[in-house]
């Protein structure tokens, strides 16, 4: 398969209308977009805007360092590529491209929303960070579709698995507390077995 055929195939199989052969050839600081992707990675949406806010959700609201803003250089755009495995944010700089990669397995929530001033953005939450990505240079329907794609991706199962693992941890904690009560003679054999059965349901 030639490079041109590969780009055509990637564009044809993309979930969104924003990924085209021309977009995949588009240069960002001299590098074609398709060369910035990992091997076998499949782009699904291409969103553009001007800025990205990174919010440290663990910091208090009053902390001035809670939010960091990254703005595209003058005359350029911030590009966000939603692939089949991650969110890749590209910020052209004078001599390079600043990259931010957020694997879907880290994402716990995603929304398309209107930012103050009416601009559209993609809001992505990981464990302790939120990424508010301006997509105002892209049709809002494409941002909405990208949000739905991320939320529905098969990698959501990894988040579900992690949530289930959290439930297992809670069950183990409850069993340890129950065993402690039993060892101290606070509950009978029968009560212990009944309570254990409920925890393991």
């Amino acid at each position: 398969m030639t490079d041109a055929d590969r780009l055509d195939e990637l564009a044809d199989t993309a979930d969104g209308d924003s990924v085209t052969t021309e977009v995949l050839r588009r240069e960002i600081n001299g590098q074609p977009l398709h060369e910035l992707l990992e091997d076998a990675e499949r782009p699904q949406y291409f969103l553009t805007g001007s800025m990205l806010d990174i919010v440290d959700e663990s910091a208090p609201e009053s902390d001035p360092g809670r939010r960091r803003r990254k703005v595209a250089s003058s005359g350029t755009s911030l590009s966000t590529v939603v692939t089949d495995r991650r969110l890749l944010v590209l910020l052209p700089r004078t001599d390079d491209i600043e990259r931010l990669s957020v694997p879907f397995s880290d994402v716990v929530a995603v929304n398309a929303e209107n930012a103050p001033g009416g601009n559209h953005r993609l809001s992505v939450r990981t464990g302790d960070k939120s990424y508010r990505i301006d997509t105002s240079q892209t049709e809002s329907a494409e941002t909405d579709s990208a949000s739905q794609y991320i939320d529905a991706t098969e990698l959501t199962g990894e988040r579900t698995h992690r949530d289930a693992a959290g439930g297992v941890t809670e069950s183990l904690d409850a069993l340890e507390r129950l065993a402690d009560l039993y060892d101290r003679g606070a509950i009978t054999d029968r009560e212990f077995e009944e309570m254990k059965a409920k925890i393991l349901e």
Side-chain angles (χ1 to χ4, degrees):
M1 179 183 289
T2 67
D3 198 45
D5 290 339
R6 178 177 164 271
L7 296 184
D8 288 342
E9 192 261 339
L10 286 175
D12 290 343
T13 58
D15 200 62
D17 297 332
S18 52
V19 175
T20 64
T21 303
E22 293 74 28
V23 162
L24 292 170
R25 286 193 179 108
R26 182 180 295 175
E27 291 195 356
I28 300 176
N29 265 14
Q31 294 185 13
L33 176 63
H34 69 92
E35 291 181 7
L36 298 170
L37 302 174
E38 295 175 352
D39 291 341
E41 190 170 28
R42 304 188 73 79
Q44 302 297 324
Y45 292 89
F46 179 75
L47 314 172
T48 56
S50 60
M51 71 184 75
L52 160 70
D53 286 335
I54 302 173
V55 181
D56 181 353
E57 298 291 354
S58 64
E61 293 273 350
S62 58
D63 185 341
R66 183 174 192 263
R67 186 185 78 164
R68 291 181 295 134
R69 175 165 284 180
K70 295 182 176 280
V71 180
S73 302
S74 178
T76 68
S77 294
L78 175 145
S79 300
T80 303
V81 187
V82 176
T83 76
D84 57 339
R85 60 183 80 160
R86 65 175 172 155
L87 199 66
L88 176 63
V89 182
L90 304 166
L91 274 158
R93 296 299 183 215
T94 306
D95 299 320
D96 199 6
I97 302 168
E98 184 177 349
R99 306 170 200 213
L100 170 70
S101 178
V102 181
F104 290 157
S105 57
D106 290 350
V107 174
V108 295
V110 59
N111 293 298
E113 57 190 28
N114 288 320
N119 286 343
H120 216 59
R121 70 183 178 197
L122 186 65
S123 182
V124 177
R125 173 82 187 257
T126 62
D128 59 352
K129 284 191 172 53
S130 287
Y131 303 92
R132 297 172 185 161
I133 307 163
D134 174 41
T135 61
S136 59
Q137 296 170 16
T138 303
E139 288 189 25
S140 59
E142 194 77 346
T143 304
D144 292 340
S145 296
S147 171
Q148 292 167 11
Y149 175 84
I150 295 167
D151 196 46
T153 184
E154 289 179 11
L155 291 176
T156 304
E158 290 186 36
R159 297 201 304 270
T160 303
H161 176 73
R162 211 167 47 234
D163 293 342
V168 169
T169 302
E170 289 173 12
S171 295
L172 289 174
D173 289 343
L175 285 170
E176 285 178 9
R177 289 193 300 273
L178 184 62
D180 181 57
L181 287 172
Y182 180 73
D183 289 343
R184 289 187 287 133
I187 57 175
T188 66
D189 291 350
R190 183 177 172 198
E191 288 170 330
F192 174 77
E193 292 301 329
E194 287 175 356
M195 291 175 168
K196 182 172 85 169
K198 284 183 182 177
I199 292 169
L200 296 174
E201 281 179 354

